[in-house]
Structures are given as structure tokens and as C-alpha cells.
Amino acid sequence: MPGPAASTALEVLRVPVLADNYVWLARWAPGRCAVVDPAVAGPVLERAADEGLRITHILNTHWHPDHVGGNLEIKAHTGCTIIGPAREAARIPGIDRAVDDGDRVALGDHVADVLFVGAHTAGHIAFHFAGARVLFCGDTLFAMGCGRLFEGTAEDMFRALAQLKALPPETRVYCAHEYTLSNARFALTVEPGNAALAARFEAVQGARGRGEATVPFTLAEEHLTNPFVRARDAAELGERRRAKDHFR
Ligand code: ZN
Ligand code: FE
């Protein structure tokens, strides 16, 4: 006798696009996926087809074109539902559902808590699938880095990172860009004596040399090596962010 439908693990596939963007396909049931921050449509539609996945949802973290550029074309092809940040709803093409801090997004058995992390943009959100230990954080937290402060302050970013770093350390972080190597180089100027950071820098350099991605990573790694996560207060974070803006 058949039992209830087995629940599927949330499997996340990486689609590298443009210069350094990652679009994520989250397979939430057999043959079904959600797309996170589609910068473009073509490679995303192709990959989903290759994997035999129907795109049911788009999750957008913020309004920047390299996160929503594929929205309308993907929706036209698939009829998917677009879920994005309430405070930026007017700038999210094709948005069907606007969500904010405390809202929940269900993909079958997988439920994401929406976290407000405005700083990179004023309305930026993140999607935390607590059961799967998966975080989609757009341009807020990067490996050993954080997003630029285009619309928010250092205080805003400090608050956003405080929220994210309170999540379980084993959480896997799926950010939207491969900025890791440059971030590691900068982090070493902040904490030249940090052994965990030196080791991670070497590992990342090796991975990039082999053409491998360095995302996802875990929050535990950020606790040990990310100068923005490790900043004691907003002032220190702001100082580091300004220095990074001019770092080459
Ligand atoms: Zn952005
Ligand atoms: Fe971006």
C-alpha cells in the first residue's frame, strides 16, 4: 500500500550567469523548482529543462537588475509565481506576492522564513529554509564580505548581519555573487594574524584556480573569517566597508 508522498530534501543547483552572478534552482519536489534571483532567463530556463524541472516560483531578494532581469521572461514561459520584497514591490517585475520580515513562503513541505535585511538596498530580504538549513541572502552576506551600502547605513548592515549570524552555524549560505577571492584578500588586510582566515584564503585560491565555485559556504566559516560579521559594532563595520569600497 502506498504511503504518503515522501518529502524531498531541498536540493540547490547553481547556475552561473553574467560575470560573477549565481542563480539558484531550489528543487523542492520531484520535477519542481523555485528560482532565486534570476539575473537572466535563457540559461535558467535551459538548465531547468535539462534537469527535468518545472519552475513554479521565483524568489527575489532585492530589485537590482542582476537579480530580477529574468523575471518576466521566465514567468512568460512557465506561469510561475513571483515572490519578492514588499518594500521594493514597485521595482520587482511581475511580482505576484510581496513579503516582509516574519512572512513565510511554503514550497511544498519546505517553508522559508522571510527576514528583512535592508542595507545593500532599502527593502532587501533573505529567505531562510530552517528545516533544510539553507539561506538565500542575495547581496547581503558574501563569503568573507558583505554587500555595498547603496541604500542603507552601516547600522542597517550591522543589524542585518546580526540577524543572519544568529541562525544555526551549519546553515549553508547561498549568496548571489562569486566575490570570495577579492573578499578574502581584503579580509587579510583587516586580520593578518587570523589563522582560520589564512587557511580559508589558501583553500579559496586553490578552488578558484581550478575554476570551482566557493558558494555555498557555512555561517560557521563566516564567524571565523568574515571581517563584517566579526565587526564589534556598526562603526567598525562602516570603517571596514569604506576601506573595502576603495580596495583593489
Ligand atoms: Zn545587488
Ligand atoms: Fe547583485
Side-chain angles (χ1 to χ4, degrees):
M1 216 170 50
S7 68
T8 339
L10 191 71
E11 189 196 347
V12 186
L13 307 175
R14 179 191 307 105
V15 187
V17 301
L18 306 181
D20 53 30
N21 275 77
Y22 290 136
V23 178
W24 303 105
L25 300 187
R27 194 178 74 102
W28 58 268
R32 302 271 184 283
C33 74
V35 175
V36 183
D37 282 353
V40 294
V44 175
L45 290 166
E46 261 170 53
R47 180 67 185 278
D50 287 350
E51 302 283 346
L53 295 172
R54 186 158 80 78
I55 297 171
T56 56
H57 299 77
I58 290 173
L59 308 182
N60 292 128
T61 63
H62 66 294
W63 68 266
H64 282 163
D66 64 317
H67 298 255
V68 303
N71 274 21
L72 294 180
E73 194 179 335
I74 292 172
K75 187 174 181 174
H77 275 79
T78 64
C80 69
T81 299
I82 300 182
I83 301 174
R87 301 175 210 214
E88 301 178 353
R91 306 176 87 170
I92 306 293
I95 192 167
D96 296 294
R97 184 179 166 208
V99 294
D100 206 344
D101 202 64
D103 285 334
R104 306 189 115 194
V105 172
L107 304 173
D109 296 341
H110 297 283
V111 179
D113 293 306
V114 176
L115 306 171
F116 172 66
V117 290
H120 174 72
T121 64
H124 202 305
I125 56 173
F127 298 89
H128 177 227
F129 289 86
R133 296 277 192 261
V134 164
L135 173 69
F136 296 107
C137 62
D139 289 355
T140 297
L141 171 64
F142 295 120
M144 293 170 277
C146 73
R148 277 180 187 257
L149 299 174
F150 287 120
E151 299 177 5
T153 64
E155 285 75 20
D156 295 331
M157 185 57 84
F158 188 77
R159 224 177 299 130
L161 294 183
Q163 266 205 89
L164 299 185
K165 78 186 187 190
L167 302 176
E170 65 273 26
T171 303
R172 276 164 299 145
V173 181
Y174 293 83
C175 62
H177 292 275
E178 178 66 59
Y179 289 161
T180 309
L181 190 52
S182 143
N183 286 343
R185 285 203 183 96
F186 172 75
L188 275 171
T189 68
V190 178
E191 287 194 82
N194 181 332
L197 175 55
R200 193 175 178 193
F201 172 68
E202 285 216 3
V204 156
Q205 220 176 10
R208 295 305 294 151
R210 295 186 298 274
E212 296 167 11
T214 64
V215 186
F217 47 91
T218 66
L219 276 180
E221 294 176 88
E222 299 314 297
H223 286 290
L224 294 174
T225 60
N226 185 317
F228 302 97
V229 165
R230 290 163 67 78
R232 281 163 308 190
D233 50 34
E236 190 172 67
L237 185 152
E239 233 168 75
R240 291 175 179 182
R241 186 58 261 181
R242 279 189 297 279
K244 175 68 166 82
D245 288 347
H246 303 291
F247 180 75
R248 322 198 110 259

